[in-house]
């Protein structure tokens, strides 16, 4: 039977709110409940903490406070950035460059704009899961108004050449194409690697607070001074007319505190999760055969490992692990409710079997070495459990004329 | 709809896994839409299924339904086994999400394949039954 230990290895899906963050936000539900747009004491009390949080978020990414727009999260940030720029610049051009491995919220907006008459170039990635700068350069057209390429991928963690694309964009703009904008979805990268909008050279950058040990329902879009976006929420003056709606003060306070802690603790957290991740990967390598690591092994986020387990399907493995107290996620189609397995794993050239058998393990600041040991104990058994009943595995065993005992390396 | 405890138990502790020495019937079906594959091995004698085993590759529902059907048909007459429908398999795994009903259908097709391909009279009976629906 499953033990009582629960190990959460799905920090790329969401993180628990840090107790310090929760403590910071609590007064702003009942005691200090004002509307930040009100002129009276209650409103001004809320206004001052919203602006303090804005400074913290700006500081985390090296931006100016008035370049930070608070909104509901990463998906809204991507919608506002991409559709907002596309609508604002449509008289200058209707061509957008993106990649094949963007988050579904970026893909969704691009698909929607394509249906409305925009032209979209979706850059390939190669086996390492990284976009090539020369592909960006050759995709550029006189009517290109936006490049949107993520800072780091949500499934395989690969870090994209955003700084290089930023340099290219500056070069193209100074050569006369003034209306070219550059957006990056930094939802997965923030709090895990250093993010600085000056170094990256982006005009817009999306952040979600719940990947940063703050609650769900809050996020931000960095909009560089001088860059306009057509608001997608209208009917209020909030956020300098860029996002109408009463500010979610408790969430914003939490986001500010989480951003402050992330800035102070970034190096420590990154070192901690990368140590756990590396120990985990070494352990899996020595205990389980027939696995494939997905994505570039060095240019990737420190907390994430994506592994395809041959002969089996990811959701079955996910359920087996869940019953042993280990929470992960999978690129298999079953989980998403579609028939097609992960487009990201397919984009790096893996076949359907490997895409269906991919599992994402994502570590967080509160994971421990004991957590890694627990996973390394239950994972080989779970894989073996499923392979034992897999006709693909049985076939491979007979092909190799080996017994199952020889296929599994005893731990 | 979340998976039931029975469902998860079939996935984590599948019953009757694999082939066995005196199996005398074999069926295999693949879902062309998603590539899920189910194999059934049966020992049939005197109109009874004495033993059943399965192998499965695919989503958890395919595994759970494969495991469930081996339990449902063991020590059943061929006639009763052929009467098993999707609802019975779904009930055996504590309910299936509607988008996973195809997994129960795959289990039934595989069983029919195993039972009918070696025995023309059964195949004709199944076809007659399908025609009468």
């Amino acid at each position: 039977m499953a033990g009582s230990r629960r190990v959460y290895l799905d920090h790329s899906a969401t993180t628990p709110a840090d107790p310090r963050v929760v403590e910071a936000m609590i007064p702003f539900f009942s005691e200090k409940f004002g509307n930040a747009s009100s002129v009276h004491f209650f409103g001004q009390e809320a206004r001052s903490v919203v602006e303090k949080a804005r400074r913290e978020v700006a500081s985390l990414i090296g931006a100016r406070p008035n370049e930070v727009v608070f909104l509901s999260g990463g998906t809204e940030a991507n919608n506002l950035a991409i559709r907002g720029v596309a609508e604002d610049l449509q008289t200058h051009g209707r061509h957008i460059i993106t990649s094949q491995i963007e988050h579904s919220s970026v893909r969704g907006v691009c698909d929607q704009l394509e249906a409305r008459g925009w032209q979209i170039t979706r850059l390939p990635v190669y086996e390492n899961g990284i976009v090539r700068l020369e592909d960006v350069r050759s995709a550029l057209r006189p009517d290109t108004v936006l490049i949107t390429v993520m800072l780091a991928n949500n499934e395989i963690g690969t870090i994209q050449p955003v700084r290089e694309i930023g340099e290219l964009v500056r070069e193209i703009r100074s050569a006369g194409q003034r209306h070219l904008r550059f957006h990056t979805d930094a939802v997965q990268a923030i709090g895990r690697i250093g993010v600085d909008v000056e170094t990256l050279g982006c005009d817009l950058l999306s952040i979600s607070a719940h990947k940063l040990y703050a609650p769900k329902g809050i996020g931000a879009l960095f909009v560089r001074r001088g860059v306009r976006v057509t608001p997608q929420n209208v009917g209020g003056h909030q956020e300098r007319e860029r996002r109408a709606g009463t500010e979610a003060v408790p969430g914003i306070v939490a986001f500010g505190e989480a951003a402050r802690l992330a800035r102070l603790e970034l190096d420590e957290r990154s070192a901690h999760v990368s140590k756990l991740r590396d120990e985990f990967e070494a352990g899996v390598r020595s205990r389980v055969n027939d696995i494939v690591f997905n994505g570039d092994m060095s240019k990737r986020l420190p907390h994430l490992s994506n592994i395809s387990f041959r002969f089996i399907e990811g959701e079955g493995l996910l359920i087996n692990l869940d019953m042993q107290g280990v929470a992960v996620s999978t690129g298999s189609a079953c989980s998403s409710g579609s028939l097609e397995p992960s487009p990201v794993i397919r984009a790096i050239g893996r076949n359907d079997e490997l895409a269906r058998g991919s599992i994402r393990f994502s570590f967080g600041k509160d994971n421990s070495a004991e957590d890694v040991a627990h996973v390394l104990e239950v994972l080989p058994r779970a894989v073996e459990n499923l392979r034992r009943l897999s006709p693909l595995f049985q076939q491979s065993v007979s092909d190799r004329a080996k017994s199952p005992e020889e296929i599994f390396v005893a731990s | 709809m979340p998976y039931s405890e029975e469902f998860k138990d079939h996935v984590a502790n599948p019953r009757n896994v694999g082939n066995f020495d005196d199996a005398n019937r074999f069926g295999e079906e693949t879902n062309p839409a998603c590539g899920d594959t189910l194999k059934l091995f049966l020992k049939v004698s005197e109109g009874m299924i004495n033993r059943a085993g399965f192998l499965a590759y695919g989503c958890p529902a395919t595994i759970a339904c494969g495991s469930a059907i081996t339990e449902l048909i063991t020590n059943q007459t061929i006639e009763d086994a052929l009467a098993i429908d999707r609802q019975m398999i779904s009930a055996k795994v504590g309910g299936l999400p509607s988008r996973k009903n195809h997994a129960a259908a795959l289990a039934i097709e595989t069983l029919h394949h195993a039972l009918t391909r070696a025995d023309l009279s059964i195949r004709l009976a199944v076809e007659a039954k399908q025609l009468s629906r």
Side-chain angles (χ1 to χ4, degrees), chain A residues 45-72:
Chain A
E45 188 175 47
R47 171 56 55 201
S48 86
V49 293
V50 165
E51 297 315 315
K52 179 166 172 274
R54 201 185 304 278
R55 289 193 294 276
E56 289 295 353
V57 173
S59 171
L60 179 64
I61 58 171
R64 300 180 187 91
N66 62 11
E67 294 175 320
V68 172
V69 178
F70 286 123
L71 31 66
S72 66

Side-chain angles (χ1 to χ4, degrees), chain A residues 15-183:
Chain A
T15 60
D18 187 304
R20 296 168 291 181
V21 166
V22 175
E23 192 185 346
M25 77 189 289
I26 281 175
F28 298 92
F29 286 102
S30 302
E31 185 192 333
K32 303 178 180 182
F33 60 88
N35 183 326
S37 299
S38 300
V39 176
H40 49 60
F41 170 81
F42 296 91
Q44 292 314 300
E45 188 175 47
R47 171 56 55 201
S48 86
V49 293
V50 165
E51 297 315 315
K52 179 166 172 274
R54 201 185 304 278
R55 289 193 294 276
E56 289 295 353
V57 173
S59 171
L60 179 64
I61 58 171
R64 300 180 187 91
N66 62 11
E67 294 175 320
V68 172
V69 178
F70 286 123
L71 31 66
S72 66
T75 293
E76 189 188 341
N78 288 335
N79 271 262
L80 176 58
I82 298 167
R83 202 184 304 100
V85 165
E87 289 178 356
D88 184 62
L89 294 178
Q90 57 184 317
T91 56
H92 297 280
R94 299 226 251 176
H95 178 238
I96 295 171
I97 298 170
T98 183
S99 84
Q100 290 179 355
I101 59 164
E102 296 299 309
H103 184 262
S104 59
S105 57
V106 168
R107 257 190 290 138
V109 187
C110 289
D111 291 352
Q112 184 201 44
L113 288 170
E114 190 172 42
R116 293 182 186 175
W118 271 264
Q119 289 183 307
I120 313 289
T121 300
R122 296 172 182 85
L123 301 176
V125 293
Y126 298 83
E127 203 197 342
N128 64 1
I130 297 176
V131 164
R132 287 186 188 164
L133 184 65
E134 59 262 34
D135 290 343
V136 181
R137 190 187 288 275
S138 53
L140 279 164
R141 308 188 329 203
D143 62 340
T144 307
V145 289
L146 178 67
I147 299 172
T148 175
V149 172
M150 66 199 337
L151 183 47
N153 181 262
N154 49 306
E155 288 185 46
I156 55 177
T158 48
I159 298 170
Q160 304 301 316
V162 166
R163 188 172 53 81
E164 291 80 356
I165 298 173
E167 279 168 18
L168 173 67
V169 166
R170 284 175 191 162
E171 178 193 316
I172 300 293
R173 266 203 295 250
S174 58
Q177 198 169 329
R178 291 188 302 114
H179 297 291
L180 181 61
R181 301 282 177 266
F182 178 31
H183 165 250

